Amino acid sequence: MLAAPINPSDINRVQGVYPVRPPLPAAVAGYEGVAQVHAVGPAVTRPLSPGDWVIPSPPSFGTWQTYIVKPEDVWHKVRDDVPVEYAATVTVNPLTALRMLQDFVKLKPGDAVVQNGSTSIVGQCVIQLAKVQGIRTINIIRDR
């Protein structure tokens, strides 16, 4: 694993209060992240090579570890020319932002949304996705 973020859902999972619970006793936390392929077994049929960057999908099998061995169908190749922190969060944060913009109210170009915590990765994704859709944003940041 190159990077695996810590999200509130990860903390809830460690606390045992998140709806999706890992199998015990060998549970590892971490829903998302980006890894670099170290080796590929002889049965792998997809174009994966050592050095490739990959993300787990579906997320949630425990990315807070140094090495992970999983079947090829849970790994999806991603470009390695993006910042590692973006690649590590692509499976959760952009999709969260997209769902927030599309699932609750039908927004039209010219509409505005207000968000708190707009410096987070989700907040930044909301700003970018809204701009593409012609939606204005009012962004509140936390003074910490």
Side-chain angles (χ1 to χ4, degrees), residues 114-135:
V114 178
Q115 67 169 333
N116 186 15
S118 56
T119 57
S120 70
I121 295 294
V122 172
Q124 292 175 43
C125 290
V126 166
I127 294 167
Q128 293 172 27
L129 291 168
K131 183 175 182 175
V132 168
Q133 298 175 33
I135 299 165

Side-chain angles (χ1 to χ4, degrees):
M1 292 302 298
L2 297 172
I6 300 171
N7 290 310
S9 59
D10 295 313
I11 301 303
N12 292 153
R13 186 174 182 183
V14 169
Q15 293 169 325
V17 298
Y18 198 71
V20 178
R21 294 188 174 91
L24 296 174
V28 177
Y31 275 96
E32 59 183 337
V34 63
Q36 187 172 40
V37 175
H38 179 71
V40 177
V44 173
T45 59
R46 293 182 25 215
L48 292 174
S49 302
D52 287 347
W53 282 17
V54 291
I55 57 171
S57 183
S60 82
F61 58 66
T63 57
W64 292 1
Q65 51 190 319
T66 304
Y67 294 100
I68 301 173
V69 176
K70 290 285 185 181
E72 67 180 294
D73 63 340
V74 302
W75 297 108
H76 298 276
K77 188 174 175 178
V78 295
R79 294 176 15 193
D80 63 2
D81 63 344
V82 298
V84 69
E85 62 272 19
Y86 292 177
T89 62
V90 74
T91 56
V92 174
N93 291 310
L95 298 176
T96 300
L98 185 64
R99 301 237 17 218
M100 289 190 326
L101 288 172
Q102 293 185 347
D103 289 0
F104 299 98
V105 174
K106 179 66 177 158
L107 296 167
K108 302 177 297 299
D111 286 348
V113 296
V114 178
Q115 67 169 333
N116 186 15
S118 56
T119 57
S120 70
I121 295 294
V122 172
Q124 292 175 43
C125 290
V126 166
I127 294 167
Q128 293 172 27
L129 291 168
K131 183 175 182 175
V132 168
Q133 298 175 33
I135 299 165
R136 297 174 294 147
T137 60
I138 301 167
N139 303 290
I140 300 166
I141 59 171
R142 298 179 184 127
D143 185 19
R144 294 186 198 173

